[in-house]
Amino acid sequence: MEKNIKFEQNTPLWDNSLSIEERLDYLTGAMTLEEKIHCLTTGCPDIPRLGIRATYMGGEAAHGIEARHDQAFNKGEPEPTTAFTQPIGMSASFDRELIRECGRAVGEEARALYTRNGGGGLCRWAPTIDMERDPRWGRTEESYGEDPYLTGEMAGAYIRGMRGEDPFYIRCGATLKHFYANNVEKDRIKISSSVDRRNKNEYYLKPFKKAIMEGSAEAVMTSYNEINGIPAIVNDEVRHILKGTYGLPGHVVCDGGDFSQTVSDHHFYRTHGETLANGLKAGVDCFTDDGEVVYAATREALDNGWITEKDIDESVRNSFRTRIRLGMFDKESDCPYQNMGEEYINNGEHKELARKMADEAVVLLKNENGILPLDEKAEKKIAVVGPLADVWYKDWYCGIPPYAVTVLDGIREAFTNAEISHESGLSEIQIRLTEQNSDECYVGLDQNSRLKLVKKEQAETFILNDWGCGNMTLTAKSNGRFVTLEEDTDIIKADKKEAFGWFVRESWNFKKEKNGFTLESWNKKQVFVDKAGYFSICVDNPSTQFEIEIVKDGKKAAEKTAEKADYVVAVIGCDPVINSKEEVDRTTLALPPEQEELVKEVAAANHNTIVVLISNYPYAIGELQKQVPAILLSASGSQELGHGIADVMTGKASAAGRVNMTWYHSDEDLPDMNDYDIIQGKRTYQYFDREVLYPFGYGMSYTTFSYEKMQIKKERGCIKVSCFIRNTGEKTGDEVVQLYVHKKDSRVKRPIKQLAGFERVHNIKPKEVRKVNFTVQLWELEYYDVISERMILEDGNYQFMVGASSQDIRLEQSIMIDGLHAGKRNPFQTTAADCYDAYDHMFLHRGINGSSCVIPGSAGDDPDMIGECPVEGTLIYHDFVFYKKPRKLNITLKVLETAHITVTGENGVQITAEPVDCYRMLEIDLPEDCIKTGVPETVQIRVEGKCKISKFVFA
C-alpha cells in the first residue's frame, strides 16, 4: 500500500541550502498540532505531504548494536552484530583511539541495519556514563569506571567514533545515559538520590560535560531516580545545564516508562498531563512511554493551559534537528553515511577490532615469578577448569554476535602443541524426596521436559552451578537445558537453552532445612510436588523437602585433572544476569563461595594455577590472591573473549589493561549504597584513605618501565606536562602512563589524587625511550565553592604526579597556578542551607520552588516519615565574618515534629520549634557574646527532630 503513497521532497525541509533552523521553522509551521503531538515520543509518524517517513530514535549500543529482537515491542529474528567487550572492560584498555574505532564500527553497523530495515536506530541509547562510585551497583558492566575524567575521555572517544568526522552530518548519534546520580537499582523508579553541590559539580556532572562539549554527544536520557526529591524527568537542570551550559545540540529523552512512573511511583503529580507539561518545560523532548498515554497527557496539558503549542514546537525542533543531521531529509545526497550496506556488518575489520579490544581489556592482576606468559609452542599439559571455561554469556544490552570464542576455545587454538583437558568443576546431582513413601521418589523429566517424580533408574542428573547469594542454576544433563519456572504458570520444566531474561526464571535456591532441603524459585516461592507427582509452586500447599545425591563431585574431578597437568587455568567469575544486573544490586563483594573453594582445591593440587577472572565488577579476592601465582581479569561481552585471554596469556598481546575501579578488601570498606557523597563518605580512589587490594589504575606488565625527566609549564588556559618512559625489561610492551593532581592547602577537602591525563603507549621495545605529553585544561582543576556558589579555580600550589597507577607514582612536581581565593561568608546575606562545608547525619531533599532543603537523617530516608526516636543532624558552615554583632538568626524551615535547634558560635543557643505544615521563618535571639566579630567564624546548626531546613540569615 505504501508504494502508492508519494512522500513529497520538494519542500524547505528537504532543501539542504537552507540553514537547519530555517528548515525547522518551515517544519513547525507546516505541521498540524495533531502531527506534532504524535512526535512527542521517540518516534514520529508518516507525514507524506512533508516527506516524513515514520522513524524512531533509540535502541541499545553499549558494546555493539543490540538487534536481538527478543522483547515484546520488537519481536523477530535476531540480526547478528559485532559484540565488543563490555564498556567497563573497554575502559580498562585506557586506549582512546581503540575505543573510538569500536565506536566507528558500531556506527557503521547501525547505518547498515538502517539501510536493511529502515525505521530508525540511528540515534542509539549509549554510552552509559553514570559514575560508578560503588562496585556493588547492578549496572557496573555498562559504564566506564569510578573516575569522571576517564569516563568522559573514553565515552567521548566512543561517541566520536559513532558520530563520524563530517562537521554537519551524523553517522550515528549517541544518547548519554542517565542524567544523573543513578547508582542504586533497588526502588530506582521512585528513590531519591541525595547529592550536594560539590559532589554534583565535581563528580556526577563532569562526564556529561566532557561527553557533550568535547565528545559531541547528540542526546541525553534522564534517569529514573529523583535528585534531591525532584524526579529526573522534571529536573530543570536538563534545560539549564545540559542544553544551556553544555550546549547539547539534539534532544533529551526520558528513560523507558518513566513518564508514567512520575505519577504511579514517584507520586509527584496527580495526572500525566502535569508530568508532560513540566517535563517539556524542564527540557525533556521525547517521552519513552506508551504513545496513547503520552497523547492523552498532551491533550490534558493543552486543555488546561499548562502548555502551549510553542512548547511542543520546541520539542519537535529538537528531535527533528537530530533527524536532519542524520541525513533523513537529504535530497541532494550530501550525507556521506547514506546507503551503507551489508559490507559493514560483521566484516573482517570489525572482527579484528573486537579481538584487539578483547586483548587490550585484559588486566594482569598478579604474575608471581613470571609464570606468564606461557610458551604457546611448548608441549605441555594444560588443564582448563572452572564454570566459565567453556561458556559465553550475553548481557542485557548486548546483541547476538556472529560467533563467540570461549576461554577454552582460545586456549585450544593458541596452544596447538599442548594436551588440553577440561573440567567445569560443577557437580552433578540427583534429587529425591526426603520421605520415601513410594518407589517414585526421584526427580526426572516427562516427555515434555516437566519435572516430576520417577523411579531411581529414570532419575535425571542435573548439573548444579551455585553462583552464591542464593542463586543457583540446574541443567538437565540428558538434554542440556536449564530448569525454569515457565512464565505466567506454575509449571517447572527443563527446556531453556540459557539462563537469561529480565527476570531470570532459571535461578533456584536450595535452602537447608532440618531434614533436608527446600527448593525456592527466582521469585522466592517454594516448590512442592502435587498429587500427580509434578513439581509446582506452593500456594496453599506446604513446601516439599528434598535430599541431594552427589553423582559427580565437580571439585574433586577438577582436582584430579589439575594433578595431571603442567599448568592449570581456572576460569571463574560472573554471569551478567545473575547476582548483578539492571534492577539487581550486589549484596556483597565476595566471590561465589563454590568458585573460591574450587580454586583453593585446584591450587593445592597444582601450584602452577593461573586464575582467569571473567568479571564486570570488582570482587574481594584477597584470599584467592594469596593462593595462586597469576591472575588475569577481563570483562565479559566480547565475541573474541577467549582469543583476548589467550593472546595475553601467551604474550602475543601486551598485558597492559588497568583497573578503572578501586578493588576493596571487603564489604566493610563501603558505606551505605544510598550514600552519594564520595567526599565525606570517602569513596573511590579520590577520597578512600585506607589500604586496598588493587588501586585505581593498577595493572601489571610482562616488562618493566622507568619514568624520567618530568617537565611542567603553564600555558594559556592549560598546564603542559611531559615525561620520558624507558622500557627497562626484556620484552616489547605497552605502558599506561597516568597523570594525577592534588591541590595543596585548599580551603576544602580535595581529592587525595585526581586523574588529569593518561596515555596508552604502544609497542615500546626493550631499551626504547618514548616521550609522553599531557595537556591539562585549567577548568579540569576547578572545585565548587559553596560561598560564591560556582566552580572556581583556586589559586596556589598544585602537585602533579606521573605514574603507573594511582598508588605507583614515579615522578612529581609542583607548580603555582593563579586563580581565586575563596571569599568569606556574609552573615547578613541569605545562605542556602545546602551550601554547607560539612555535615553529620543529614540528607538533601526537595525544598522551596525547586531548591533543596536539608533534613536530619540518612540518605534514602523518607523525607516525611517520623520515627519513634527523634533524629539528630548537624550542619557546619566555615568562614563567616561578622562586621557587627548579630542579634538574631532567622531560619526558614518546615517542622514535621517538635525539633530542638542549637546554634553554636562561642556560646550556643537552643530553641524549640513546634510542627507546622508549611515553610516559615523561625527567629532565634542570639546572646551578645554568641559570635565574635572581625574574624572567620564557624557556625554550627544542630537539629534534633525531623524538619526541613531551607535557608538562614543573620540580622
Side-chain angles (χ1 to χ4, degrees), residues 513 517-519 526-529 538 540-546:
E513 307 289 349
F517 295 90
T518 55
L519 187 61
Q526 298 293 315
V527 171
F528 84 107
V529 179
C538 297
D540 299 320
N541 301 283
S543 57
T544 301
Q545 292 206 7
F546 305 96

Side-chain angles (χ1 to χ4, degrees), residues 289-459:
D289 216 311
D290 183 276
E292 293 182 5
V293 174
V294 175
Y295 179 88
T298 309
R299 280 296 178 191
E300 178 194 0
L302 286 166
D303 292 345
N304 283 282
W306 299 333
I307 59 170
T308 66
E309 186 172 353
K310 185 178 179 180
D311 295 311
I312 299 174
D313 283 350
E314 182 182 347
S315 168
V316 171
R317 292 178 75 93
N318 290 333
S319 60
F320 273 86
R321 185 179 293 109
T322 296
R323 289 183 173 95
I324 290 172
R325 295 173 68 231
L326 286 168
M328 292 181 176
F329 308 105
D330 184 38
K331 182 180 178 182
E332 304 301 325
S333 299
D334 288 340
C335 177
Y337 311 118
Q338 295 284 39
N339 303 315
M340 296 176 71
E342 299 296 318
E343 68 274 17
Y344 287 97
I345 301 179
N346 301 318
N347 61 28
E349 184 195 14
H350 295 179
K351 176 182 176 180
E352 290 175 8
L353 277 174
R355 183 162 184 166
K356 179 68 172 171
M357 180 53 84
D359 289 351
E360 291 201 9
V362 176
V363 184
L364 180 61
L365 295 177
K366 184 178 181 182
N367 192 26
E368 192 175 87
N369 299 322
I371 188 173
L372 292 176
L374 299 180
D375 183 358
E376 60 186 320
K377 296 179 181 179
E379 296 180 1
K380 298 288 186 178
K381 295 179 180 180
I382 301 176
V384 185
V385 304
L388 274 76
D390 196 28
V391 294
W392 188 91
Y393 293 127
K394 67 187 182 188
D395 56 273
W396 188 247
Y397 287 121
C398 81
I400 300 295
Y403 61 88
V405 181
T406 68
V407 175
L408 180 61
D409 293 334
I411 289 174
R412 281 176 171 159
E413 187 176 323
F415 295 95
T416 53
N417 296 329
E419 180 184 325
I420 310 293
S421 56
H422 168 242
E423 272 292 342
S424 70
L426 300 176
S427 291
E428 298 177 5
I429 64 171
Q430 290 183 343
I431 308 168
R432 64 184 176 87
L433 294 186
T434 302
E435 297 180 5
Q436 302 181 39
N437 298 323
S438 69
D439 292 338
E440 294 184 345
C441 62
Y442 280 81
V443 179
L445 307 181
D446 74 0
Q447 65 274 19
N448 296 314
S449 299
R450 286 187 66 181
L451 270 63
K452 67 168 297 186
L453 293 181
V454 296
K455 295 179 180 179
K456 180 173 177 56
E457 55 267 25
Q458 298 168 316

Side-chain angles (χ1 to χ4, degrees), residues 165 193 210 233 248 292 331 352 432 764 809 818:
E165 302 300 324
S193 304
K210 290 182 70 67
I233 193 175
L248 182 75
E292 293 182 5
K331 182 180 178 182
E352 290 175 8
R432 64 184 176 87
I764 309 169
I809 301 302
D818 296 328

